[in-house]
Amino acid sequence: MSATVYRNGRVFTADPDPTRAWADAFAVDGSEIVAVGDDTHVREAVPDPAAVVDLAGRLVLPGFTDAHTHVLMMGAALGQVALTAAAGIDDIQRLLAAARRDAPETTVLRGRGWLFDAVPGGRPTRHMIDAVVPDVPVYLDANDYHSCWVNTAALAELGITRETPDPLGGSIGHDEDGEPDGMLYETAAQQYAWAHRDATTTDGERDAAVDRVIGAYLAAGVTGVVDMAFDELGLAAFERAQARYGGELPIRVAAHWFVANTGDEAANIGQLARAAELASAPSTPWLRVVGIKLVLDGVIDACTAAMGSPYADGSDAEPIWSLEQLAPVVTAADARGLQIAMHAIGDRASDIALDAIEHAVRANGDRPRRHRIEHLEYAAPGTAERMARLGVTASMQPVHADPAIFANWAEMLGDERVERAFSWPEYEDAGALLAFSTDAPTAPYDPLANMYVASTRASALDPSVPAVHPQYAVPLDRAIGHATRDAAASVGDGAWRGRIAPGFAADLVILDSDPFAAGADALLTARVVETIVAGRSRWSAVERQR
């Protein structure tokens, strides 16, 4: 027989039946798992294996699926100036100055990950960057990737002046004299800074970003991803990668096509044609478009998320999509069988999303559908139950609740809403499908750190920071299930991957320590020994050490 038997391990299968959640051994034949159980059962099922691997008691998990990420953006971010750890403006300026010294020939400097509470008064200005890098354009994406902070040279490169109008769903920051202050919020970041980035990035640079992100994910134990802002550039980059890798990819990529609000109903619905064409085209388990992505609001940290009540400062952000604009698009996409994923961080936005889905259900009748709402950082009571009734997936990111970055989030709301932040158990209790992810590069992509925050509500970024809302932590076995089994199910793959079970894809990760036995802290020090995708070793610590 050609199968390989893996024995003497601690195998967490992520089977929803607790009596089958653990095993000692399993066997893989080709790309599939063919047997799971104790050593005796697997030996009887595979009496003459081609090879036997002794796991030496190591923990084996299903491969993680990052159910909400931005793969090309993450690959690019891995090559940019990292600013998340900067505690204040002095740190940010020091990092930028050092990056400029290290790259004297560069014509542009890009950074990512800065936090609003690291900037005086939470109000970044172009002059703060000009003080250390005045000679080349500087583009700094915020940690949430919903705003971009630039210097004077970048404003000039983009052609932004005091007369430049705000785009629909976004704004250009201005100082007290009416001049652009260097901040581009929401769609202003997309239509100016990111559009310029895309136009000036070469295919070679995008190919390098793809290889970086694949390597990083495999080293972290991630075997599948769901991209949440795919476009022609991303599609072409991953099609080139698939060709480079011989018709496959080392990880599985499912993607949602980004649809922007143009303000015109016909134009908005017109964007669905390309997504529908790609979703209906022949695909592989490696690269496919499954639906569309709509961004309904911004983020709480910048007071741009659409809330039912004003922020602590009295401001109140409008949604990027009103219900009147959204409902026709959602209904048309639902009719075409596209999965709809909607970014909704504030409670007003999630209400609009669910209203639009209900409109589509009434218009299109009973049909298979599994739509999603992304983030749900603050949702009103009853939202989870409503989602469960509609069969809507709650796609949430534990790392966004890390206590080390929570203070600014809480300060922006400043009332009792803070006590219901990131309430994951509500969705479990209601019976909604709950899929965990990271939203990289807005947060660290490491799934083990994600599981630490999920199971403790403590900080993976700074373990000295006390846990916040520990009542919303979920046990480790459930957290891992949401990040493997349920994350795969969130894009319709729950019948063939995401668990260690006979007939399922052999997508597996082997760790050097067992946080189930050693405690949650071990998630911060555990390392991946091997990542297996479709039965093939795609990353090995042993190979890396040779």
Side-chain angles (χ1 to χ4, degrees):
M1 192 173 185
S2 60
T4 296
V5 167
Y6 293 79
R7 60 173 302 275
N8 189 28
R10 282 258 296 160
V11 183
F12 178 69
T13 68
D15 194 300
D17 182 344
T19 66
R20 295 196 297 266
W22 289 94
D24 304 316
F26 59 93
V28 173
D29 193 355
S31 63
E32 289 189 357
I33 298 164
V34 294
V36 180
D38 59 25
D39 278 353
T40 300
H41 170 78
V42 173
R43 284 178 180 273
E44 290 175 350
V46 187
D48 187 24
V52 176
V53 176
D54 187 345
L55 293 166
R58 291 192 174 103
L59 179 67
V60 183
L61 304 173
F64 288 95
T65 291
D66 198 338
H68 180 128
T69 184
H70 303 271
V71 282
L72 196 56
M73 188 180 291
M74 175 183 153
L78 292 171
Q80 296 172 357
V81 183
L83 300 172
T84 307
I89 189 62
D90 290 344
D91 288 343
I92 292 173
Q93 290 175 328
R94 175 179 51 79
L95 290 166
L96 295 178
R100 183 71 180 101
R101 286 194 302 271
D102 292 344
E105 302 303 317
T106 192
T107 58
V108 63
L109 187 63
R110 298 190 184 277
R112 47 91 181 181
W114 58 272
L115 300 166
F116 277 94
D117 54 9
V119 181
R123 295 188 61 83
T125 72
R126 58 190 169 96
H127 304 298
M128 296 174 185
I129 306 175
D130 291 346
V132 289
V133 186
D135 57 329
V136 297
V138 178
Y139 297 87
L140 308 178
D141 289 320
N143 191 55
D144 54 35
Y145 277 75
H146 278 256
S147 56
C148 187
W149 176 17
V150 303
N151 67 349
T152 302
L155 288 171
E157 182 173 63
L158 297 174
I160 294 176
T161 69
R162 63 187 299 150
E163 284 79 31
T164 303
D166 290 338
L168 178 67
S171 63
I172 298 167
H174 293 86
D175 61 24
E176 58 187 16
D177 296 323
E179 294 295 331
D181 65 5
M183 281 301 297
L184 306 174
Y185 297 98
E186 300 299 338
T187 58
Q190 297 171 17
Q191 295 183 25
Y192 289 102
W194 297 350
H196 181 270
R197 174 202 64 198
D198 291 346
T200 56
T201 299
T202 67
D203 283 348
E205 289 168 332
R206 276 186 275 270
D207 291 345
V210 168
D211 289 338
R212 275 197 299 269
V213 75
I214 289 174
Y217 265 137
L218 290 174
V222 175
T223 59
V225 296
V226 184
D227 189 275
M228 277 293 163
F230 228 45
D231 59 12
E232 297 290 354
L233 295 173
L235 176 63
F238 274 89
E239 286 178 336
R240 291 194 299 271
Q242 190 168 235
R244 289 200 305 276
Y245 287 103
E248 296 184 353
L249 286 170
I251 61 173
R252 306 182 190 277
V253 179
H256 283 256
W257 202 254
F258 182 71
V259 173
N261 186 6
T262 67
D264 178 83
E265 181 176 320
N268 288 343
I269 292 176
Q271 296 177 73
L272 302 180
R274 180 60 169 152
E277 174 192 359
L278 293 168
S280 62
S283 64
T284 71
W286 304 105
L287 179 62
R288 59 204 169 103
V289 172
V290 298
I292 62 167
K293 166 72 177 301
L294 302 155
V295 177
L296 273 56
D297 69 345
V299 293
I300 289 171
D301 291 272
C303 296
T304 54
M307 307 297 296
S309 300
Y311 289 91
D313 64 2
S315 65
D316 191 5
E318 289 297 313
I320 296 171
W321 290 81
S322 68
L323 178 59
E324 292 70 27
Q325 295 167 322
L326 182 67
V329 175
V330 169
T331 300
D334 179 77
R336 298 185 188 200
L338 293 168
Q339 185 184 46
I340 302 160
M342 289 179 277
H343 167 119
I345 282 181
D347 56 331
R348 185 180 174 194
S350 56
D351 285 346
I352 290 171
L354 292 173
D355 288 345
I357 291 172
E358 287 182 338
H359 182 276
V361 171
R362 289 193 299 270
N364 298 329
D366 187 20
R367 57 182 299 143
R369 54 170 64 87
R370 169 62 76 178
H371 302 316
R372 309 162 49 120
I373 297 181
E374 312 299 315
H375 310 307
L376 293 157
E377 294 186 5
Y378 175 78
T383 301
E385 291 77 9
R386 191 179 177 195
M387 291 176 64
R389 288 195 302 271
L390 290 167
V392 176
T393 297
S395 171
M396 304 180 76
Q397 298 73 41
V399 279
H400 284 176
D402 191 300
I405 59 173
F406 185 72
N408 183 74
W409 192 100
E411 183 182 352
M412 296 304 101
L413 293 184
D415 56 25
E416 68 278 358
R417 290 174 294 182
V418 174
E419 299 309 314
R420 298 194 64 259
F422 306 91
S423 52
W424 311 314
E426 288 189 8
Y427 299 90
E428 292 181 322
D429 294 343
L433 183 69
L434 175 60
F436 278 161
S437 58
T438 69
D439 195 17
T442 74
Y445 61 87
D446 179 6
L448 299 180
N450 202 22
M451 295 300 91
Y452 178 77
V453 179
S455 60
T456 65
R457 295 296 286 239
S459 176
L461 293 171
D462 183 354
S464 69
V465 177
V468 174
H469 301 147
Q471 71 272 22
Y472 292 143
V474 296
L476 182 58
D477 59 340
R478 289 180 3 217
I480 291 176
H482 295 320
T484 55
R485 175 194 65 234
D486 297 337
S490 74
V491 286
D493 295 349
W496 66 274
R497 68 181 184 95
R499 291 194 280 138
I500 300 176
F504 274 59
D507 296 354
L508 310 155
V509 57
I510 303 171
L511 302 183
D512 67 356
S513 60
D514 182 357
F516 287 100
D521 286 353
L523 289 162
L524 300 179
T525 57
R527 295 292 178 265
V528 172
V529 173
E530 188 172 14
T531 301
I532 298 168
V533 186
R536 293 172 53 192
S537 180
R538 305 287 184 159
W539 191 91
S540 168
V542 173
E543 292 296 324
R544 293 282 167 158
Q545 291 168 1
R546 289 177 180 170

